[in-house]
C-alpha cells in the first residue's frame, strides 16, 4: 500500500509539474480565453487529485501507526511522539505484563488477547487524554506523559492497578511491572526509553525473587 501511494504521489507530482510548464507556455502565446478552459479544467482536476493523495496518506499513516488489537498507537508512532515531547519534557513509563505466557498457556491465546485489550482500556482510564499510550511489543506498553510530577505518577499507577482489580471478573488476573524515567527538554529520547525499560526489568526481577522466597 505504501509503495502504491508513493508511486501515485510521484506520478501526480510529475504530472503537476508538466501541467504547470504547459500552462505557462500557453499563457506566453496570444490565445483567447476559451482556449484556456481545457488547461484550467485539467489543472483543477490535478489539484483535486493531489488533495485526495494527501488525505489518503493521512489515513494510511493512521492505519500504519495503530495497533489493530488494542486500538492504541504502536511503536512506529514513537518518533513523532518523542519529537513532540522533546519540547516540554516528559515522563516515560515502560509496562510489562507479568506471567503473560502462563495466561496464554493456561487459558489460550484468545484469553491472552483479551488481557491485552483490558490492559489497554485500563491505561486509557488511568492516564490523561493528552498522554501518549503505545503498545510497544507483545505484552509491553509505553506511556509518554508530558509534565507529570512523581506524586501524580504514583497515583496514576495505583489507579491502573485498582482498575485491573475491578476488571478481574472479565478474565485472568492481570499484573504488571513498570519502570519510569524522565525525558528532559531536548533530551535523548532513546536513552530515556532504555532507562525506563531497565527500571521495569529491575522491578520484575525483584518480584520474581520475592515469589521464589515466599
Amino acid at each position: 500500500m505504501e509503495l502504491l501511494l508513493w508511486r501515485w504521489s510521484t506520478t501526480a507530482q510529475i504530472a503537476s509539474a508538466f501541467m504547470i510548464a504547459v500552462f505557462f507556455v500557453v499563457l506566453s502565446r496570444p490565445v483567447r480565453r476559451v482556449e484556456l478552459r481545457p488547461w484550467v479544467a485539467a489543472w483543477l482536476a490535478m489539484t483535486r487529485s493531489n488533495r485526495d493523495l494527501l488525505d489518503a496518506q493521512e489515513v494510511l499513516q493512521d492505519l500504519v501507526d495503530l495497533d489493530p488489537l488494542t486500538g492504541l498507537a504502536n511503536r512506529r508512532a514513537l518518533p513523532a511522539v518523542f519529537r513532540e515531547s522533546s519540547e516540554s519534557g516528559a515522563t516515560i513509563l515502560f509496562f510489562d505484563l507479568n506471567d503473560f505466557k502462563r495466561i496464554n498457556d493456561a487459558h489460550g491465546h484468545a484469553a491472552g488477547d483479551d488481557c491485552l485489550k483490558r490492559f489497554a482500556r485500563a491505561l486509557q482510564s488511568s492516564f490523561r487524554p493528552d498522554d501518549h499510550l503505545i503498545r510497544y511489543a507483545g505484552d509491553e506498553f509505553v506511556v509518554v506523559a508530558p509534565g507529570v510530577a512523581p506524586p501524580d505518577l504514583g497515583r496514576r499507577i495505583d489507579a491502573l492497578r485498582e482498575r485491573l482489580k475491578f476488571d478481574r471478573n472479565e478474565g485472568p488476573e492481570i499484573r504488571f511491572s513498570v519502570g519510569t524515567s524522565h525525558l528532559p527538554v531536548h533530551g535523548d529520547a532513546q536513552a530515556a526509553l532504555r532507562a525506563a525499560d531497565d527500571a521495569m526489568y529491575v522491578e520484575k526481577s525483584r518480584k520474581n525473587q520475592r515469589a521464589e522466597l515466599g
Side-chain angles (χ1 to χ4, degrees), residues 6-21 43 46 50:
W6 177 82
R7 289 174 176 171
W8 181 19
S9 176
T10 303
T11 302
Q13 291 172 14
I14 293 173
S16 179
F18 175 75
M19 288 295 301
I20 292 173
W43 173 250
M46 184 60 64
N50 285 338

Side-chain angles (χ1 to χ4, degrees), residues 9-170:
S9 176
T10 303
T11 302
Q13 291 172 14
I14 293 173
S16 179
F18 175 75
M19 288 295 301
I20 292 173
V22 171
F23 189 67
F24 278 104
V25 168
V26 172
L27 285 179
S28 68
R29 302 176 61 186
V31 294
R32 293 173 298 175
R33 181 176 299 178
V34 68
E35 295 174 328
L36 292 176
R37 289 177 183 172
W39 300 102
V40 172
W43 173 250
L44 291 175
M46 184 60 64
T47 301
R48 286 193 295 270
S49 178
N50 285 338
R51 283 201 303 268
D52 292 342
L53 171 64
L54 292 175
D55 291 342
Q57 287 175 326
E58 290 180 3
V59 171
L60 176 64
Q61 192 63 47
D62 289 341
L63 291 175
V64 167
D65 291 346
L66 195 67
D67 174 50
L69 178 65
T70 63
L72 302 182
N74 61 34
R75 64 190 299 170
R76 290 180 61 119
L78 271 176
V81 169
F82 284 148
R83 283 194 298 271
E84 178 183 338
S85 302
S86 69
E87 299 299 321
S88 60
T91 295
I92 297 178
L93 302 92
F94 204 112
F95 292 91
D96 181 89
L97 304 191
N98 296 338
D99 299 321
F100 185 68
K101 184 179 183 302
R102 179 184 56 79
I103 292 175
N104 276 329
D105 291 344
H107 302 276
H109 288 282
D113 287 348
D114 184 64
C115 285
L116 295 173
K117 290 187 283 189
R118 285 165 52 203
F119 188 77
R121 290 197 302 267
L123 280 178
Q124 291 170 320
S125 299
S126 305
F127 287 86
R128 304 170 300 180
D130 55 344
D131 292 333
H132 304 280
L133 312 179
I134 295 154
R135 184 184 178 194
Y136 188 73
D139 61 334
E140 295 177 335
F141 295 78
V142 170
V143 175
V144 181
V148 175
D152 191 33
L153 185 64
R155 286 193 294 270
R156 295 182 189 282
I157 294 174
D158 290 341
L160 177 60
R161 295 189 195 279
E162 290 301 315
R163 176 73 184 187
L164 292 173
K165 290 179 182 178
F166 178 77
D167 288 343
R168 175 70 186 277
N169 61 336
E170 297 186 13

